[in-house]
Amino acid sequence: MSYTVILFVICCYGQLASAEIDRRRFSNPTYYNVGGVLSSNESIAFFKDTISKLNFKDQYVPRGVTYHDYSILMDPNPIKTALNVCKDLIAHRIYAVVVSHPLIGDLSPAAVSYTSGFYHIPVIGISSRDSAFSDKNIHVSFLRTVPPYSHQADVWVDVLKHFNYMKVIVIHSSDTDGRAILGRFQTTSQSMHDDVDRKVVVEQVIEFEPGLDSFSDKLMDVKGAQARVFLMYASKTDAEIIFRDATFLNMTTAGYVWMVTEQALDAANAPEGLLGLRLVNATNEHAHIQDSIYVLASAIRDMNTTEEISAPPSDCDNSGSIWTTGRLLFDYIRRQSLENGATGHVAFDDHGDRVHAEYDMVNVRAQGEHVAVGKYFYSKETKKMRLELKEHEIIWMGRSPTKPEGFMIPTHLKVLTIEEKPFVYARRVESETDCIAEEEILCPHYNASDDFGQLYCCKGFCMDLLNNLAKVINFTYSLALSPDGQFGNYVIRNFSTPGAKKEWTGLIGELVYERADMIVAPLTINPERAEFIEFSKPFKYQGITILEKKPSRSSTLVSFLQPFSNTLWILVMVSVHVVALVLYLLDRFSPFGRFKLANIDGTEEDALNLSSAIWFAWGVLLNSGIGEGTPRSFSARVLGMVWAGFAMIIVASYTANLAAFLVLERPKTKLTGINDARLRNTMENLTCATVKGSAVDMYFRRQVELSNMYRTMEANNYDNAEQAIEDVKNGKLMAFIWDSSRLEFEAAQDCELVTAGELFGRSGYGVGLQKGSPWADLVTLAILDFHESGVMESLDNKWILRNNMLNCEENEKTPNTLGLKNMAGVFILVLAGIIGGIVLIVIEVVYKRHQIRKQKRMEIARHAADRWRGCVEKRKSLRASLLPSQRRVKSNGVKEAGSISLAVDRGARRRDEPRVPRYLPAYTPDVSHLVV
């Protein structure tokens, strides 16, 4: 047992010796002087007592280290206070100063901070709460164990969210603290990461100069506002003026909520039902002195083991001397944390301000009684601040035991919509009376500058939904179409100017900037929009799909040729003529190809010629009756039978395929869906598009895997869906990507259009409202009731289905009937045959007439030649008979007798022979081409 005690003593001595060695390694001091500038002698006495007790607490003070106190009483005159700090504190080489708040005056703590901060001597404030002390450019070494007034904004945000007050009016003075609390409130309310959808919105801000005489005018400006929750930061005197005028205007009655800071809570005329904050231990100066000394001792302890500590300045005369150790000490103090301090959990932020300060929620009762109804405290379990309220103990304005709604619901709303079939149809009219009662709603249109003031009548799915909502929730409305015809996009306006910010356009912009109260349109719910506006529950669920035109067949004129390929048709054509040629040859050279008929004239029938063989082959193929020109030989008839079988198979196959191609064939879509490779491949010559700034456009920008596709289609995007759908019908656009409800409606209206692939990017259409709108819950409940009661189903049947989709489905199920466009080629073929026949018969007639004329000329020439030949022969014979007589006359010398004989011969020739023309002897026709 004795050995254990000895070892324990040795270990303890070793640790102390090690600490002493580390301390001496840096030659750090063993005496630390702490100064105090306090408001009373009681506080000075407590300050001395706390430091004396501190020296006996080993967890704060290492062995060999001693703390000494030097304190002075704060003077209301800040100059005297500064001089006293130099003479009585800095002269004793103090390491830090604990400063209180004077009973009279506000500038003395600032004088201590300026004087000590010049040498970077840390100053720990225990009662100064002005926001100016958070400015480290002025108060370079100031920390405080009390929070600034602006930190009450953090409690406001939690209280508002607890009561579900999402829209407020802020009233604050125009001094530093007033602006600081507004800025902190706006920052805190917009950066609550636990619930992004529930952000407190400041509807209006009223800033006033301190020292009010009247506040009625400013209250009148906000009396008609929607918010009924007022957050106020004001001094006690200013708060009394504000409460006086608010009571006169009946703005402190039932339905109103007032939450104020600590100063305003002390106003003598604070109305009953007021809620205010009060800092716990705000006036307990002794508790703050204790926490500040322990925080300082903890910082010096940590710094003593790791840093070299130099001595602080000893006077204020050497203005150029800056204590570098003071900067390090300030950082060490700022990083300290006391879990169980006298004022709770003590910690500091980057500015040296106290965080995790605790507050009481105070409720003002009759006769100015203040009752704590809740607390805002640090939870050791969650390591966060926590709010606890006793709602049943709160008495609200007007002595109401129930929590007010916090807003005034307007009964007349400005509703916006957009023309989008079948949800909204817009028809231009000349006057309000042109709208059909109980079916159309008057809606002015501001789509273009030259269209200002024109009237339109709107009807459709969304218009019926708006009427049903107005009846159920009980509100009136004025309807208008979208200012620019677009749903809205989040874009940078005037990006060339410095400081340009993103702004919403279209319908969303009107709602975000509170120029409208509600959007009733096919508005897709998505994260980008939900960050800025409120959505109801979806009134229709849908997705994104692709619209395209049904592909047409390659050629309607030759569609009757589609059952066979081009190669097969060519083979059939060749086979016909080859078979005809073989039939002709078989029948020609067969010894049994001819036989005698018992004809009267005894003529022999000719064998099958080539033209008859071709006629026979075509007749068998086309299934026509063959009356003549059939094969006669056995071999040719065997081939004819085989050809008939071939023709039967070809005709049957053609008939079956014709039915499949023209009757049962259904054109398929070109695309398979969003994952189609042709859409993803930017090199394909396929144009697709959507609408600029729409929810679909946002979807593609949000999806990383669709980025290449989006860059390709971005240049083709349209301003509205109407133009895109029209281009799809005309074939200018191959694929239009849009909401499935609209595209299915268009496909039902026009059976030539079809949607491709499955739905993707599923979402819903919702009613859009302002952030924090009191109508949000009412609209959502009404829409849910419409789904359950069948109202939405009836609207679908009335506006979206309209029996058009059923007709298209019936047409898809029944087989197609052949029309002129399918069989036009056959009629053209017949027409070509008729025209060909007419042309051939004209050619035959012309040729035949030419042959007849030619034959007539040949007959005339032959007849003339025969006559000429006869004449020549007769003359030859006549000469032959006259030659002996002439010879005798010559020998006798008698001339007359010869002349008489010649005349007699001519006379006899005229009587006995036909007269020959005089010119005939000279005519010698060319008869070399004639065959006699």
Side-chain angles (χ1 to χ4, degrees):
M1 188 68 179
S2 59
Y3 290 107
T4 305
V5 174
I6 293 172
L7 289 174
F8 177 75
V9 171
I10 292 174
C11 290
C12 292
Y13 178 79
Q15 291 178 355
L16 292 174
S18 177
E20 183 69 16
I21 291 173
D22 291 338
R23 185 178 62 81
R24 290 181 178 178
R25 184 179 59 187
F26 296 112
S27 299
N28 290 336
T30 58
Y31 293 93
Y32 294 94
N33 298 327
V34 181
V37 183
L38 304 173
S39 61
S40 64
N41 293 324
E42 291 80 4
S43 297
I44 292 176
F46 183 81
F47 179 76
K48 292 178 177 293
D49 184 63
T50 303
I51 291 181
S52 63
K53 292 179 180 179
L54 175 68
N55 291 320
F56 296 96
K57 294 187 177 183
D58 296 337
Q59 68 269 30
Y60 293 105
V61 181
R63 187 179 183 85
V65 175
T66 305
Y67 285 88
H68 296 276
D69 65 278
Y70 293 92
S71 59
I72 61 174
L73 192 65
M74 181 175 289
D75 195 294
N77 189 337
I79 297 177
K80 290 183 178 180
T81 300
L83 294 175
N84 292 334
V85 168
C86 288
K87 181 178 62 175
D88 299 328
L89 298 181
I90 295 179
H92 291 89
R93 293 183 181 274
I94 57 172
Y95 285 82
V97 180
V98 177
V99 60
S100 180
H101 199 281
L103 299 178
I104 301 173
D106 297 329
L107 298 178
S108 294
V112 177
S113 176
Y114 294 151
T115 305
S116 302
F118 185 80
Y119 303 99
H120 287 276
I121 299 174
V123 179
I124 304 176
I126 60 174
S127 58
S128 299
R129 304 185 60 189
D130 297 340
S131 298
F133 288 98
S134 300
D135 187 358
K136 294 301 138 188
N137 294 321
I138 300 174
H139 302 277
V140 294
S141 61
F142 189 86
L143 304 95
R144 46 184 163 182
T145 59
V146 290
Y149 290 121
S150 59
H151 282 200
Q152 295 177 82
D154 300 344
V155 190
W156 276 354
V157 172
D158 284 352
V159 172
L160 291 173
K161 291 195 174 184
H162 177 82
F163 289 126
N164 198 26
Y165 292 152
M166 295 293 105
K167 186 171 288 190
V168 298
I169 296 173
V170 178
I171 302 173
H172 70 90
S173 58
S174 59
D175 54 13
T176 304
D177 288 301
R179 294 192 178 98
I181 197 170
L182 174 63
R184 189 174 181 92
F185 175 78
Q186 291 177 328
T187 303
T188 305
S189 63
Q190 299 298 319
S191 62
M192 298 297 287
H193 299 290
D194 54 345
D195 194 351
V196 178
D197 293 333
R198 300 179 60 200
K199 290 183 178 180
V200 180
V201 178
V202 179
E203 183 177 3
Q204 225 166 337
V205 176
I206 303 177
E207 184 177 334
F208 63 89
E209 292 292 335
L212 288 174
D213 293 329
S214 175
F215 203 69
S216 299
D217 295 339
K218 294 183 180 296
L219 290 175
M220 286 296 296
D221 293 339
V222 298
K223 190 172 183 180
Q226 184 178 343
R228 286 294 183 264
V229 179
F230 292 87
L231 305 179
M232 187 176 73
Y233 173 83
S235 63
K236 178 181 177 180
T237 55
D238 290 334
E240 291 176 350
I241 301 298
I242 295 173
F243 289 145
R244 181 198 67 189
D245 295 343
T247 303
F248 178 77
L249 295 174
N250 294 323
M251 298 178 67
T252 57
T253 57
Y256 287 87
V257 178
W258 285 79
M259 296 183 187
V260 299
T261 55
E262 296 172 82
Q263 302 97 315
L265 187 61
D266 295 330
N269 60 345
E272 185 178 3
L274 183 73
L275 292 176
L277 298 176
R278 178 161 290 160
L279 180 66
V280 177
N281 296 317
T283 59
N284 190 350
E285 193 168 297
H286 292 179
H288 285 282
I289 290 174
Q290 179 179 330
D291 287 344
S292 61
I293 291 174
Y294 286 155
V295 167
L296 175 61
S298 300
I300 293 177
R301 178 198 60 197
D302 296 342
M303 187 177 178
N304 200 14
T305 59
T306 57
E307 304 287 346
E308 183 177 1
I309 301 175
S310 61
S314 59
D315 58 64
C316 296
D317 296 335
N318 188 4
S319 60
S321 176
I322 296 178
W323 187 35
T324 56
T325 303
R327 296 178 178 177
L328 292 175
L329 182 57
F330 176 85
D331 292 334
Y332 273 90
I333 297 173
R334 185 173 51 83
R335 292 197 292 265
Q336 296 304 311
S337 175
L338 292 181
E339 291 292 336
N340 298 307
T343 59
H345 183 267
V346 181
F348 304 94
D349 61 12
D350 294 337
H351 299 285
D353 294 332
R354 169 75 177 270
V355 293
H356 303 152
E358 298 181 353
Y359 294 87
D360 285 334
M361 178 65 70
V362 177
N363 186 211
V364 177
R365 304 289 175 83
Q367 289 81 40
E369 180 185 5
H370 292 180
V371 178
V373 293
K375 59 181 179 179
Y376 186 73
F377 63 98
Y378 180 79
S379 175
K380 295 181 181 179
E381 291 79 11
T382 62
K383 305 298 181 181
K384 294 181 180 179
M385 299 303 294
R386 180 180 173 186
L387 177 66
E388 285 187 359
L389 289 174
K390 303 174 184 177
E391 292 189 43
H392 61 281
E393 296 183 5
I394 299 177
I395 300 298
W396 300 93
M397 293 284 182
R399 297 185 179 180
S400 173
T402 59
K403 179 179 74 73
E405 293 293 335
F407 54 82
M408 181 188 69
I409 301 179
T411 58
H412 187 80
L413 304 179
K414 182 179 180 181
V415 182
L416 291 182
T417 188
I418 190 171
E419 184 177 5
E420 181 76 11
K421 300 175 183 178
F423 295 94
V424 180
Y425 295 87
R427 180 174 63 93
R428 188 168 179 173
V429 295
E430 298 297 331
S431 63
E432 300 181 8
T433 57
D434 293 339
C435 294
I436 302 175
E438 298 182 358
E439 183 177 345
E440 294 181 328
I441 305 174
L442 183 68
C443 51
H445 199 197
Y446 304 101
N447 193 30
S449 58
D450 58 349
D451 200 28
F452 185 84
Q454 292 296 333
L455 299 179
Y456 286 77
C457 291
C458 295
K459 65 177 182 178
F461 184 101
C462 289
M463 298 300 97
D464 287 356
L465 175 62
L466 177 60
N467 283 330
N468 289 328
L469 288 174
K471 293 177 182 178
V472 172
I473 308 177
N474 191 21
F475 66 85
T476 58
Y477 60 87
S478 57
L479 184 66
L481 288 170
S482 173
D484 55 3
Q486 296 183 0
F487 287 93
N489 195 14
Y490 198 39
V491 297
I492 298 177
R493 289 289 184 88
N494 302 323
F495 58 88
S496 59
T497 60
K501 297 181 179 179
K502 280 189 172 183
E503 295 181 1
W504 279 97
T505 60
L507 292 177
I508 309 296
E510 298 297 306
L511 207 60
V512 169
Y513 304 117
E514 299 184 358
R515 293 189 288 265
D517 301 305
M518 184 183 295
I519 297 176
V520 181
L523 187 65
T524 304
I525 302 172
N526 61 20
E528 292 86 352
R529 294 171 176 174
E531 185 178 355
F532 294 89
I533 67 173
E534 195 92 16
F535 277 105
S536 68
K537 290 296 181 181
F539 61 81
K540 183 168 183 60
Y541 294 92
Q542 53 90 41
I544 305 174
T545 189
I546 305 172
L547 182 72
E548 60 177 347
K549 192 174 182 180
K550 288 183 180 178
S552 58
R553 296 180 177 89
S554 58
S555 176
T556 57
L557 294 179
V558 295
S559 59
F560 66 94
L561 299 178
Q562 288 181 353
F564 291 164
S565 65
N566 295 334
T567 303
L568 184 58
W569 280 118
I570 294 173
L571 291 176
V572 170
M573 297 297 106
V574 172
S575 300
V576 171
H577 297 88
V578 170
V579 169
L581 178 62
V582 173
L583 284 174
Y584 164 72
L585 295 176
L586 291 176
D587 203 63
R588 179 75 176 178
F589 296 103
S590 175
F592 304 99
R594 290 172 282 178
F595 54 91
K596 295 284 186 176
L597 295 178
N599 293 333
I600 298 174
D601 54 0
T603 59
E604 182 180 350
E605 184 183 18
D606 294 333
L608 183 70
N609 55 30
L610 184 59
S611 63
S612 298
I614 295 174
W615 177 256
F616 173 81
W618 275 107
V620 171
L621 181 64
L622 300 179
N623 199 20
S624 62
I626 305 301
E628 58 183 11
T630 59
R632 298 303 180 184
S633 65
F634 180 76
S635 58
R637 289 189 175 186
V638 169
L639 178 58
M641 293 176 63
V642 174
W643 174 248
F646 170 83
M648 180 188 67
I649 295 173
I650 290 294
V651 171
S653 301
Y654 176 82
T655 305
N657 285 340
L658 182 65
F661 273 84
L662 299 182
V663 180
L664 299 179
E665 181 193 12
R666 288 293 166 194
K668 298 181 180 179
T669 59
K670 301 176 185 176
L671 302 174
T672 59
I674 190 61
N675 294 321
D676 196 294
R678 288 168 292 178
L679 286 177
R680 299 297 184 94
N681 187 4
T682 58
M683 301 302 293
E684 287 284 346
N685 188 18
L686 189 146
T687 57
C688 60
T690 185
V691 177
K692 300 176 183 177
S694 62
V696 179
D697 185 66
M698 295 178 186
Y699 173 84
F700 276 92
R701 282 185 289 177
R702 190 167 60 246
Q703 302 297 323
V704 179
E705 64 273 14
L706 300 176
S707 57
N708 291 334
M709 178 181 173
Y710 176 73
R711 284 194 295 268
T712 304
M713 63 186 290
E714 187 176 10
N716 303 324
N717 287 345
Y718 288 77
D719 294 328
N720 54 70
E722 297 291 337
Q723 184 180 359
I725 294 173
E726 191 64 28
D727 284 353
V728 172
K729 294 180 180 179
N730 298 334
K732 297 180 181 179
L733 181 65
M734 297 185 65
F736 176 52
I737 305 174
W738 193 236
D739 294 338
S740 59
S741 300
R742 175 65 190 278
L743 298 187
E744 288 172 358
F745 170 77
E746 292 293 338
Q749 292 282 338
D750 188 351
C751 292
E752 289 297 320
L753 301 177
V754 64
T755 56
E758 297 182 354
L759 298 185
F760 61 96
R762 295 180 181 271
S763 59
Y765 291 148
V767 176
L769 303 109
Q770 295 180 11
K771 272 292 184 182
S773 173
W775 294 101
D777 293 337
L778 297 176
V779 171
T780 292
L781 292 175
I783 289 176
L784 293 176
D785 182 67
F786 292 162
H787 281 294
E788 294 178 359
S789 60
V791 174
M792 292 302 179
E793 184 178 358
S794 63
L795 292 180
D796 282 340
N797 293 331
K798 179 181 179 181
W799 294 106
I800 297 180
L801 298 180
R802 301 180 70 175
N803 296 325
N804 292 309
M805 192 176 298
L806 298 178
N807 293 337
C808 284
E809 289 178 356
E810 291 177 0
N811 293 336
E812 291 291 334
K813 293 178 182 178
T814 57
N816 283 335
T817 56
L818 295 179
L820 179 61
K821 66 178 182 179
N822 302 113
M823 303 303 294
V826 179
F827 289 95
I828 293 175
L829 184 62
V830 173
L831 181 61
I834 295 174
I835 295 174
I838 294 174
V839 172
L840 289 176
I841 195 172
V842 169
I843 294 175
E844 289 179 352
V845 170
V846 172
Y847 179 76
K848 187 63 177 178
R849 290 182 178 178
H850 174 71
Q851 290 292 102
I852 292 174
R853 287 195 297 269
K854 187 176 181 180
Q855 289 178 1
K856 287 182 178 180
R857 287 196 298 270
M858 291 177 63
E859 290 293 333
I860 293 172
R862 185 181 297 111
H863 183 68
D866 291 342
R867 293 183 61 185
W868 177 79
R869 187 179 295 109
C871 293
V872 171
E873 291 295 332
K874 288 182 178 182
R875 293 186 66 178
K876 286 181 178 180
S877 61
L878 180 60
R879 285 180 181 179
S881 61
L882 291 179
L883 284 176
S885 300
Q886 291 176 355
R887 291 192 185 107
R888 286 194 301 268
V889 171
K890 285 182 178 182
S891 61
N892 294 328
V894 184
K895 183 178 180 181
E896 293 81 8
S899 300
I900 294 171
S901 299
L902 180 61
V904 173
D905 182 64
R906 288 179 178 175
R909 185 182 56 195
R910 290 190 187 99
R911 288 192 301 266
D912 298 336
E913 294 183 283
R915 183 179 180 86
V916 179
R918 295 182 181 271
Y919 60 84
L920 187 59
Y923 176 72
T924 57
D926 184 11
V927 292
S928 60
H929 64 284
L930 298 177
V931 178
V932 180

